[in-house]
Amino acid sequence: MTASPDPSGEHHLPEAVLRPVRGHHAFEACVEQLGTAIRLGVYPLGTLLPPERDLAARLEVSRATLREAMAALREAGLVETTRGRGGGTVVTLKARTPSARAAARVSPERRADWLDALEYRRIVEPGAAWLAATVELTDVRRSQLERAHADVARAARPAAHRQADSRFHLTVASLGGSPRVIEAVTSVQSTLHEMLLAIPVLGTNITHSDHQHAVLVKAIVAGEAERARTVMQEHCDDTAALLRGLVG
């Protein structure tokens, strides 16, 4: 879908910026596009966003997916929604939650460093997953990987989940046996932890993440190196999309 100019020849900026979502994980992509559009002033402070049906059609996603994305934006303090006649979703940019306040305090220099870390992660962690899948795992190492995955899946509290998630990624990196790879993933996970503290905990994203972890474990155990690389790359891309949308 392309933006259509009005009779005066002017393009409507939101129509030009918002694009149909591609890929399997539309939730993260919706958050990225809408969050970025709000932060860049495509939808200025106080703007009433288009109705859900219009945004869903523009992004080519289901209404349910769009509602999940809007809930994430509300949690991050970017918008507020009122129901009933005369209601709607308005751009507020108010840091009402601890995570939103944390995101608001991040300096432009730190944001730039975070974005660079996301690019670095996309190079490092898929390679670490590929390397792990090329190694013939002992029963002990296989159990270690499966236990690390199980710890993430059963972690109930946000802080516990984040730590278990980091341990899982470090476990994957350790399987390859390369100290340099382990050092690189440790650095990436440390920065990622800072970033995740600046966004709300989102159930939809955690569900996607846990599914990707499960697929990744199967690929590594089966020795499917390219499959492991692809799954980890998709995982990194989804997390990056969410962070770019909510942190900027």
Side-chain angles (χ1 to χ4, degrees):
M1 186 182 297
T2 59
S4 300
D6 65 19
S8 68
E10 179 182 0
H11 281 80
H12 295 289
L13 193 55
E15 293 181 3
V17 170
L18 297 183
R19 307 172 307 281
V21 166
R22 307 298 183 192
H24 298 292
H25 303 296
F27 165 73
E28 289 86 355
C30 283
V31 171
E32 179 181 19
Q33 287 205 43
L34 291 170
T36 299
I38 289 169
R39 291 183 182 281
L40 296 181
V42 175
Y43 293 109
L45 182 65
T47 297
L48 180 67
L49 295 183
E52 285 183 354
R53 63 178 179 275
D54 294 346
L55 283 175
R58 165 64 51 183
L59 295 168
E60 295 186 8
V61 298
S62 68
R63 295 277 291 276
T65 296
L66 183 70
R67 290 190 190 103
E68 291 175 339
M70 297 303 291
L73 297 177
R74 283 194 295 272
E75 283 290 317
L78 298 181
V79 300
E80 289 182 350
T81 301
T82 57
R83 304 297 179 185
R85 179 174 296 181
T89 298
V90 177
V91 175
T92 56
L93 299 174
K94 292 181 180 179
R96 297 185 181 278
T97 64
S99 60
R101 289 192 289 272
R105 290 194 296 268
V106 178
S107 68
E109 293 78 15
R110 192 60 176 153
R111 289 178 196 272
D113 179 67
W114 282 0
L115 291 175
D116 181 61
L118 292 178
E119 296 295 340
Y120 182 55
R121 185 193 187 205
R122 195 179 191 272
I123 296 170
V124 169
E125 292 218 41
W130 179 91
L131 184 61
T134 65
V135 175
E136 186 173 348
L137 300 181
T138 64
D139 290 342
V140 172
R141 298 293 271 165
R142 185 181 301 108
S143 295
Q144 181 186 13
L145 175 62
E146 292 171 345
R147 185 168 61 252
H149 173 233
D151 287 346
V152 181
R154 65 168 167 254
R157 294 179 293 109
H161 185 275
R162 286 192 178 120
Q163 287 189 336
D165 186 90
S166 294
R167 286 197 302 271
F168 173 78
H169 283 266
L170 291 173
T171 298
V172 170
S174 72
L175 296 179
S178 168
R180 290 182 184 272
V181 170
I182 297 170
E183 181 182 7
V185 174
T186 300
S187 174
V188 163
Q189 284 294 317
S190 177
T191 303
L192 186 67
H193 180 72
E194 294 179 26
M195 298 181 74
L196 291 173
L197 289 176
I199 69 169
V201 177
L202 304 169
T204 300
N205 175 249
I206 289 176
T207 298
H208 287 173
S209 177
D210 288 347
H211 173 71
Q212 288 168 330
H213 285 174
V215 175
L216 178 63
V217 169
K218 290 181 180 178
I220 292 174
V221 170
E224 299 174 350
E226 288 303 326
R227 175 64 172 156
R229 184 204 298 274
T230 298
V231 173
M232 182 64 88
Q233 184 169 302
E234 291 174 351
H235 181 59
C236 292
D237 286 347
D238 284 349
T239 303
L242 197 68
L243 289 166
R244 283 193 294 264
L246 297 184
V247 178

